[in-house]
């Protein structure tokens, strides 16, 4: 409110009002000022610090400068079968790892909106992860018990889930990762073309709630998104190579901190599965896929090739 | 004009009459003619005229005639800190360089102090990178043509990543050290030693804010903070749009709140001689009627467009990042390409190679290294 208005309403003097305003302002600022140096040396208050969540593959972590940023919303976009869900499941496992292995030693919430959660694949990945790590602290983790799966078939379910259920789980400290697979499904079909403004409003309210939770509990948020074809209105159709971009438009893009794009190529490589003794057990053909950083505050726009095998997502050297 | 009428040398009778008629402050009485006043409180208009003369004479010792000043422009001359145009011309305009010569050229030398500059653009275009670059560049010592200041960085989106600041700051420090090495005779060695990564990081004061209430509070507290930190020459708000784009159903309230904030910011910019840099998001302006196509415009509405003195829109042109000067009081509308490298904002390679980067090999070497690494790196544009 302006000074004049306050003067009129309260009848206080100008000096009193400025004191009042200052007091209110001081109370409203929750974060104290810190210098970047303090942040760099991790001296700042806990709520300002951020970390990286390992993806479970050292090369991918290196590519992403340590893993997924724990601050803000990370979007994973891609065509169907490009490996979005696989990456998400893997993150659900790595978040449970102890800190020295790049995890946050806490569980995850997995909100499915498209399909049922692939339980079998999860169990398979857990088994293989336990086989690979021979550290007792890892084999003792009950991975499957720490993933809370939530099905939201409609927008109302989703908003109830993130507004009511998530804060409770996060407050208990059991959960340090939120995965929504996928955000596009609900927002794409529930609104008609003419309701774009309404959709934008809902999306931003939704993102605001997620960001709030993210700030409060320092839990990374992953949103899976679908892609839409880019159609150039000038030449009528897409020419040559297909071009896709994440769906939901610029309004959603404004709300996302990091955007990763996954895609599948036609190349294949042969991956040999080895047992503990180093003997080749089986061979599988795996598609080479690309992970591209579309934008992120800390990463250049680069590309990384990866594959998905029994163990999960792995970068190619 | 808050002075009470009781504080003037009036007779108790007149004072009583004024009071009971509801005239309490100078501002209540100043616009009233003697006749009206006489009627209101039951005295002759001559007496009323004397009272008014006394009051206006006391509040405005300069108005010689003592007549009731009805022209509000008369007050303006007395505003402290006013300047004539010739005085303003003598004060050199200072700039914060962006490390991209063409971007600087577009802005007339860099981001100007005492003004509000706004960068708008789609996500991922590099708004935050420009902010971080400026936050580092403002600290360049005076002997390198910098302003040797500090930064207040208000982060509303949580995109301030210290690792990235480190990259950009390291590149800037290297650049300056190399410049110092080339012109060794002219730069004292100790200046380069004080300009280090640690000093840069120490010079960035970081505020994290999550909603618009916090943002307003921070801006309200800024004058006090700036009094304690007099070296601050740059205030960055990245981004101004995000706290205001949700939870606001009442758009007229939003416009008002934004207006107040803009006033505060421009006052801060003027009083403390610093540059204010804001970033804004883009939004789709829906087609209003037939024949009009939906297109992207900076967010926060029409009235916000008046706030920033300098407005730059960043967008993709093919694979090239481009900056368009949308609004500026002194420069013409141009489009310049730029790129973002590991070291921060730079000119596009082919340009920087031909220009005076002989003295400063850092940007060129960094950018060429960078482009060779990434297969999807921006295609270079020959201009």
């Amino acid at each position: 409110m302006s000074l004049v208005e306050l003067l009129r309403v309260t009848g206080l003097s100008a000096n009193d009002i400025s004191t009042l305003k200052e007091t209110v302002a001081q109370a409203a600022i929750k974060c104290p000022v810190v210098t970047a140096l303090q942040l760099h040396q991790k001296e700042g208050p806990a709520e300002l610090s951020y970390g990286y969540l390992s993806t479970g593959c050292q090369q991918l972590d290196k590519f992403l400068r340590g893993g997924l940023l724990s601050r803000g919303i990370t979007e994973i976009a891609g065509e169907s079968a490009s490996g979005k869900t696989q990456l998400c499941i893997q993150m659900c496992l790595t978040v449970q790892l102890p800190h020295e292995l790049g995890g946050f030693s806490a569980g995850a919430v997995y909100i499915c909106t498209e399909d049922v959660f692939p339980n079998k694949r999860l169990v398979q990945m857990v088994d293989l992860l336990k086989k690979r790590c021979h550290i007792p602290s890892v084999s003792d983790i009950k991975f499957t018990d720490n993933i809370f799966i939530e099905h939201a078939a409609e927008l109302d379910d989703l908003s109830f889930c993130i507004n009511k259920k998530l804060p409770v789980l996060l407050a208990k400290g059991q959960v340090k990762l939120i995965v929504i697979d996928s955000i596009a499904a609900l927002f794409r079909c529930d609104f008609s073309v003419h309701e774009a403004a309404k959709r934008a409003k809902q999306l931003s309210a939704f993102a605001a709630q997620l960001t709030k939770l993210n700030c409060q509990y320092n839990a990374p948020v992953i949103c899976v998104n679908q892609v839409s074809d880019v159609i150039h209105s000038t030449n009528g159709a897409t020419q040559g190579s297909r071009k896709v971009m994440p769906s939901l438009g610029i309004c959603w893009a404004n709300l996302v901190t990091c955007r990763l794009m996954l895609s599948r190529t036609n190349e294949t490589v042969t991956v040999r599965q080895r047992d503990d003794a180093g003997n080749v057990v089986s061979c599988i053909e795996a598609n080479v896929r690309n992970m591209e950083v579309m934008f992120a505050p800390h990463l250049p726009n680069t590309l990384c090739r990866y594959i998905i095998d029994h163990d999960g997502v792995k970068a190619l050297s | 004009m808050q002075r009470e009428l009781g504080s003037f040398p009036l007779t108790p009778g007149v004072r009583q009459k004024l009071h009971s008629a509801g005239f309490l402050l100078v501002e209540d009485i100043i616009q009233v003619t003697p006749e009206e006043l006489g009627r209101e409180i039951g005295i002759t208009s001559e007496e009323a005229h004397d009272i008014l003369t006394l009051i206006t004479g006391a509040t405005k010792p300069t108005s010689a005639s003592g007549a009731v000043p009805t022209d509000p422009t008369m007050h303006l001359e007395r505003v402290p800190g006013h300047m004539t145009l010739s005085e303003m011309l003598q004060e050199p305009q200072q700039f914060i360089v962006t490390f991209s010569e063409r971007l600087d050229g577009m802005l007339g030398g860099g981001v100007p102090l005492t003004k509000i500059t706004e960068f708008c653009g789609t996500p991922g275009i590099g708004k935050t990178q420009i902010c971080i670059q400026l936050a580092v560049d403002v600290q360049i010592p005076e002997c390198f043509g910098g302003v040797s200041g500090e930064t207040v960085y208000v982060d509303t989106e949580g995109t301030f990543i210290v690792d990235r600041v480190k990259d950009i700051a390291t590149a800037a420090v290297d650049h300056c050290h190399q410049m110092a090495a080339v012109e060794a005779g002219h730069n004292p060695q100790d200046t380069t030693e004080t300009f280090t990564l640690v000093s840069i990081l120490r010079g960035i004061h970081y505020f994290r804010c999550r909603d618009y209430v916090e943002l307003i509070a921070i801006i309200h507290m800024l004058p006090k903070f700036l009094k304690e930190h007099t070296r601050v020459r740059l205030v960055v708000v990245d981004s101004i749009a995000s706290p205001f784009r949700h939870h606001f159903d009442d758009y007229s309230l939003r416009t008002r709140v934004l207006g107040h904030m803009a006033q505060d910011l421009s006052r801060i910019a003027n009083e403390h001689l610093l540059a204010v840099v804001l970033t804004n998001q883009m939004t789709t302006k829906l087609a209003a009627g037939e024949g009009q196509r939906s297109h992207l415009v900076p967010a926060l509405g029409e009235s916000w467009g008046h706030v920033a003195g300098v407005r730059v829109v960043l967008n993709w042109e093919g694979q090239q990042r481009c900056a368009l000067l949308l609004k500026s009081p002194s420069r013409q509308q141009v489009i310049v390409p730029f790129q973002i490298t590991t070291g921060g904002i730079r000119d596009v390679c082919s340009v920087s190679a031909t220009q005076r980067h002989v003295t400063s090999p850092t940007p060129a070497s960094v950018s060429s290294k960078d482009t060779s690494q990434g297969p999807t790196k921006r295609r270079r544009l020959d201009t």
Side-chain angles (χ1 to χ4, degrees):
Chain A
M1 270 176 117
S2 74
L3 189 65
V4 186
E5 276 174 277
L6 275 176
L7 275 177
R8 216 183 306 130
V9 175
T10 57
L12 292 168
S13 78
N15 263 340
D16 288 347
I17 301 251
S18 64
T19 325
L20 175 79
K21 274 188 146 182
E22 236 161 68
T23 322
V24 171
Q26 230 148 23
I29 298 176
K30 289 175 204 107
C31 294
V33 55
V34 290
T35 66
L37 184 69
Q38 286 170 303
L39 282 184
H40 181 55
Q41 292 164 347
K42 309 255 182 233
E43 280 171 4
E47 51 199 317
L48 288 178
S49 67
Y50 58 90
Y52 296 99
L53 173 60
S54 165
T55 55
C57 162
Q58 281 181 355
Q59 282 182 21
L60 263 187
D61 284 352
K62 211 172 140 199
F63 169 68
L64 295 171
R65 253 188 153 170
L68 284 199
L69 199 62
S70 75
R71 192 198 268 172
I73 299 175
T74 303
E75 180 191 89
I76 298 177
E79 292 167 56
S80 63
S82 56
K84 306 185 293 282
T85 305
Q86 301 293 323
L87 185 58
C88 290
I89 299 176
Q90 191 161 321
M91 303 295 294
C92 286
L93 298 183
T94 53
V95 74
Q96 301 180 43
L97 294 173
H99 284 276
E100 53 281 11
L101 290 173
F104 290 170
S105 50
V109 177
Y110 198 105
I111 304 173
C112 302
T113 64
E114 280 183 271
D115 208 350
V116 286
F117 185 79
N119 264 326
K120 273 190 184 161
R121 177 69 177 135
L122 176 73
V123 174
Q124 185 191 18
M125 279 168 85
V126 169
D127 288 344
L128 287 165
L129 180 70
K130 283 196 176 168
K131 253 185 215 165
R132 265 184 293 148
C133 297
H134 301 289
I135 310 162
S137 61
V138 174
S139 18
D140 289 347
I141 302 172
K142 291 196 177 73
F143 282 102
T144 42
D145 289 356
N146 286 324
I147 302 177
F148 299 87
I149 294 165
E150 198 64 58
H151 284 276
E154 273 177 60
L155 266 185
D156 293 342
D157 294 347
L158 182 65
S159 61
F160 178 75
C161 185
I162 63 161
N163 286 315
K164 295 280 176 328
K165 292 187 188 165
L166 277 187
V168 177
L169 276 174
L170 285 164
K172 281 189 191 159
Q174 284 175 303
V175 167
K176 275 277 186 198
L177 174 72
I178 304 164
V179 180
I180 299 173
D181 182 10
S182 75
I183 177 105
L186 294 181
F187 283 97
R188 265 180 118 173
C189 51
D190 280 11
F191 293 92
S192 70
V193 184
H194 305 290
E195 289 176 313
K198 198 174 143 201
R199 181 176 92 170
K201 212 166 172 188
Q202 281 239 15
L203 260 178
S204 66
F206 169 76
Q209 171 68 15
L210 282 181
T211 317
K212 198 177 130 205
L213 293 176
N214 168 262
C215 284
Q216 218 169 341
Y217 301 105
N218 216 351
V221 177
I222 302 178
C223 288
V224 173
N225 198 352
Q226 303 169 349
V227 289
S228 352
D229 273 308
V230 181
I231 298 164
H232 291 286
S233 47
T234 42
N235 37 23
T238 48
Q239 17 149 268
S241 62
R242 264 178 88 224
K243 231 183 130 94
V244 290
M245 62 179 290
S247 51
L248 298 180
I250 190 171
C251 137
W252 168 247
N254 275 327
L255 304 163
V256 172
T257 312
C258 298
R259 171 172 270 182
L260 302 177
M261 180 84 134
L262 308 184
S263 60
R264 213 179 148 126
T265 64
N266 291 325
E267 280 176 71
T268 53
V269 286
T270 314
V271 187
R272 289 183 186 84
Q273 292 282 309
R274 288 169 195 275
D275 62 12
D276 293 339
N279 303 317
V280 176
V281 180
S282 66
C283 284
I284 54 158
E285 291 272 299
N287 267 73
V288 177
R289 297 147 198 265
N290 287 331
M291 178 188 281
E292 190 185 352
V293 181
M294 302 278 280
F295 59 79
H298 60 307
L299 293 170
N301 302 39
T302 46
L303 196 104
C304 170
R305 284 148 52 86
Y306 74 99
I307 52 160
I308 296 176
D309 65 3
H310 293 306
D311 297 339
V313 178
K314 275 182 193 164
L316 284 179
S317 43
Chain B
M1 285 305 134
Q2 295 297 320
R3 189 169 167 186
E4 282 178 28
L5 289 180
S7 62
F8 288 98
L10 299 168
T11 60
V14 172
R15 213 176 279 176
Q16 176 62 38
K17 279 174 182 166
L18 282 171
H19 193 265
S20 54
F23 295 105
L24 299 175
L25 301 173
V26 173
E27 61 182 13
D28 297 333
I29 206 169
I30 209 100
Q31 303 288 340
V32 180
T33 63
E35 287 77 10
E36 281 176 316
L37 185 64
R39 243 193 340 270
E40 283 277 337
I41 63 173
I43 53 173
T44 65
S45 46
E46 281 81 7
E47 280 176 297
H49 186 262
D50 288 343
I51 295 170
L52 285 174
T53 314
L54 177 85
I55 289 165
T56 51
T59 48
K60 265 174 276 323
T62 51
S63 54
S65 66
V68 184
T70 45
D71 185 5
T73 53
M74 281 181 69
H75 305 248
L76 284 180
E77 288 178 47
R78 294 294 123 204
V79 172
H82 79 288
M83 258 189 181
T84 62
L85 266 181
S86 61
E87 280 170 331
M88 281 169 80
L89 274 174
Q90 275 158 18
E91 285 225 342
Q93 175 74 57
Q94 282 185 303
F95 294 101
I96 304 167
V97 293
T98 59
F99 270 25
S100 156
E101 275 184 50
R102 303 195 68 195
L103 213 54
D104 285 347
M106 180 182 84
L107 295 166
V111 172
L113 297 191
T114 72
K115 287 205 174 74
I116 300 182
T117 307
E118 187 184 64
F119 288 95
C120 321
T122 50
I125 189 69
K127 303 185 292 288
T128 302
Q129 304 298 322
I130 288 188
C131 288
I132 296 177
Q133 178 79 62
L134 289 169
V136 169
D137 289 352
V138 74
Q139 307 191 39
I140 295 174
E142 270 141 7
C143 60
F144 297 114
V147 290
S148 180
E150 288 179 2
T151 311
V152 168
Y153 199 106
V154 182
D155 180 14
T156 64
E157 289 185 330
T159 51
F160 185 81
I161 307 295
V162 181
D163 298 337
R164 186 68 189 127
V165 182
K166 214 175 120 191
D167 285 350
I168 294 179
T170 312
V173 169
D174 285 351
H175 177 86
C176 285
H177 283 201
Q178 262 156 5
M179 262 171 78
V182 170
E183 305 164 32
H186 157 261
N187 286 310
Q189 197 58 40
D190 55 312
T191 336
T192 55
E193 267 156 27
T194 54
F195 185 64
T196 56
L197 179 63
V198 173
S199 78
I200 291 182
L201 292 182
R202 196 179 287 133
I204 300 177
H205 305 278
Y206 175 80
F207 289 87
R208 173 84 174 98
C209 97
R210 272 164 246 149
D211 52 24
Y212 71 95
V213 179
E214 268 184 72
L215 179 61
I216 294 170
I218 286 172
I219 289 175
H220 193 79
M221 297 303 291
L222 266 184
K224 204 173 155 197
F225 183 83
L226 294 174
K227 256 180 216 145
E228 289 159 20
H229 300 80
T230 47
R231 285 185 59 216
V232 173
R233 284 288 163 275
L234 173 68
V235 173
V236 176
V237 182
D238 178 26
S239 78
I240 196 88
S242 57
F244 288 98
R245 293 204 60 188
H246 39 79
H247 299 318
F248 260 104
D249 292 324
D250 181 356
Y251 283 97
S252 66
L253 176 69
R254 184 178 90 165
T255 312
R256 251 182 29 197
V257 170
L258 278 171
H260 283 307
M261 213 166 62
Q263 274 180 352
D264 285 346
L265 282 174
S266 80
R267 194 179 322 120
I268 289 169
N270 270 314
E271 279 175 12
H272 300 270
L273 298 178
L274 46 81
V276 174
V277 170
L278 312 173
T279 64
N280 197 348
Q281 301 173 344
M282 300 294 273
T283 183
T284 314
K285 188 172 176 117
L286 293 170
E290 286 291 309
Q292 267 189 309
R293 286 183 51 205
S294 301
H295 57 288
L296 289 179
V297 292
L300 297 180
E302 290 285 323
S303 57
W304 181 253
H306 301 289
V307 169
V310 183
R311 204 167 207 205
V312 181
V313 174
L314 311 175
N315 61 330
W316 292 101
E317 229 158 70
Q319 292 287 297
Q320 180 68 49
R321 290 172 210 262
C322 281
L324 160 73
L325 188 63
L326 191 71
K327 175 187 170 188
S328 162
S330 55
R331 312 290 300 182
Q332 58 177 350
Q333 186 166 338
V334 282
I335 298 178
V336 298
F338 68 99
Q339 65 169 1
I340 296 173
T341 67
T342 320
I345 311 291
R346 294 293 182 270
D347 271 335
V348 177
C349 267
S350 56
V351 177
S352 57
T354 56
Q355 284 180 353
R356 54 129 207 147
H357 280 301
V358 198
T359 49
S360 53
T362 326
S365 63
V366 167
S367 48
S368 60
K369 192 182 77 194
D370 203 80
T371 38
S372 59
Q373 273 175 352
T376 59
K377 216 48 210 183
R378 308 290 142 238
R379 183 162 29 92
R380 269 159 268 169
L381 195 82
D382 288 303
T383 38

